[in-house]
């Protein structure tokens, strides 16, 4: 029996999960990723099993979709920890998780096309028959799965923030997200908070070597260190605004 061909567009957590599920169902799977790394915003904070996600993780594992959680657990640094806004959280090493997930996908025979997203679609009637990648590669399939997310749009960063600081998505290096969904005439919705879209994440990266020794010790021990803003900093008037 000939395997069905599936093309997954987007290599974040959702795209990797979709690719694994399709492969388990017996499909020949190709995954397209816009950048040179998998997991997208999953490389920002490295947190899972926190709050309601704990139940979601257990449900996914019970339904036979525990592969990715097994990988996360293998590179976890701290487990079952609490800190402001998060309960029973687990932290994974963001530098180890991407190659570990990539190894898993490749071991299952899933083909990865990195830094080569789908940018155009071809149709027969209302049916997508092929996508064209940024490099000009034409891929046909029996089904196409668009899990490219809703981020990677520099205009949103300019509209709701203060411009681009080159986050992990690196839009200016790899180009913005192209939606096969909207190309197919399906309207996409963007969720907004009552006060506006808000930030994608409050995460930033600091070298531990640049921190005070007592902070490093606390981070290594518990995975979290809450440092209050000094009172003198709170009292500074932002006269430059």
């Amino acid at each position: 029996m000939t395997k069905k061909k599936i093309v997954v567009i987007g290599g974040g957590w959702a795209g990797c999960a979709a690719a694994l599920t399709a492969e388990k169902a017996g499909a020949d799977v190709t995954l397209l990723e816009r950048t040179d790394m998998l997991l997208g915003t999953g490389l920002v904070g490295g947190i899972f099993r926190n709050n309601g996600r704990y139940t979601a993780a257990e449900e996914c594992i019970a339904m036979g979709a525990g592969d990715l959680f097994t990988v996360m657990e293998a590179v976890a640094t701290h487990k079952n920890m609490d800190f402001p806004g998060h309960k029973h959280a687990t932290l994974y090493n963001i530098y180890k998780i991407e190659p570990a997930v990539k190894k898993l996908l490749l071991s299952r025979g899933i083909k990865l096309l990195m830094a080569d997203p789908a940018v155009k679609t071809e149709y027969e009637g209302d049916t997508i028959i092929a996508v064209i990648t940024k490099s000009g590669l034409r891929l046909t399939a029996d089904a196409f799965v668009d899990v490219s997310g809703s981020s990677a749009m520099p205009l949103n960063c300019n509209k709701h923030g203060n411009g681009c600081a080159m986050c992990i998505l690196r839009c200016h290096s790899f180009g913005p997200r192209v939606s096969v969904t909207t190309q197919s005439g399906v309207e996409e919705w963007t969720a907004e908070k009552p006060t506006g879209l808000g930030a994608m994440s409050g995460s930033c990266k600091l070298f531990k070597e640049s921190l005070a020794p007592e902070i490093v010790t606390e981070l290594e021990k518990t995975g979290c260190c809450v440092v209050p803003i000094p009172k003198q900093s709170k009292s500074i008037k932002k006269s430059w605004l």
Side-chain angles (χ1 to χ4, degrees), residues 6-9 19 28-32 110-113 139:
I6 304 293
V7 170
V8 177
I9 303 163
D28 179 359
V29 184
T30 299
L31 185 149
L32 307 180
I110 296 169
K111 294 179 282 295
L112 304 179
L113 295 182
L139 296 174

Side-chain angles (χ1 to χ4, degrees), residues 113-144:
L113 295 182
M114 309 299 294
D116 199 16
V119 294
K120 296 180 181 179
T121 53
E122 292 184 5
Y123 304 87
E124 280 187 0
D126 295 331
T127 303
I128 300 176
I129 59 170
V131 294
I132 311 299
T133 71
K134 186 177 181 180
S135 69
L137 185 64
R138 182 178 184 273
L139 296 174
T140 60
D142 296 288
F144 299 86

Side-chain angles (χ1 to χ4, degrees), residues 57-107:
E58 291 299 313
E59 289 177 346
C60 285
I61 293 170
M63 291 188 293
D67 307 69
L68 293 175
F69 293 101
T70 300
V71 174
M72 284 188 277
E73 294 280 1
V75 296
T77 58
H78 297 83
K79 299 182 179 182
N80 198 30
M81 54 181 289
D82 294 345
F83 57 96
H86 301 276
K87 297 293 184 180
H88 44 70
T90 296
L91 300 180
Y92 60 75
N93 187 312
I94 61 171
Y95 301 106
K96 293 182 179 180
I97 187 67
E98 197 271 348
V101 170
K102 185 176 291 181
K103 181 179 179 181
L104 170 63
L105 297 184
L106 291 173
S107 72

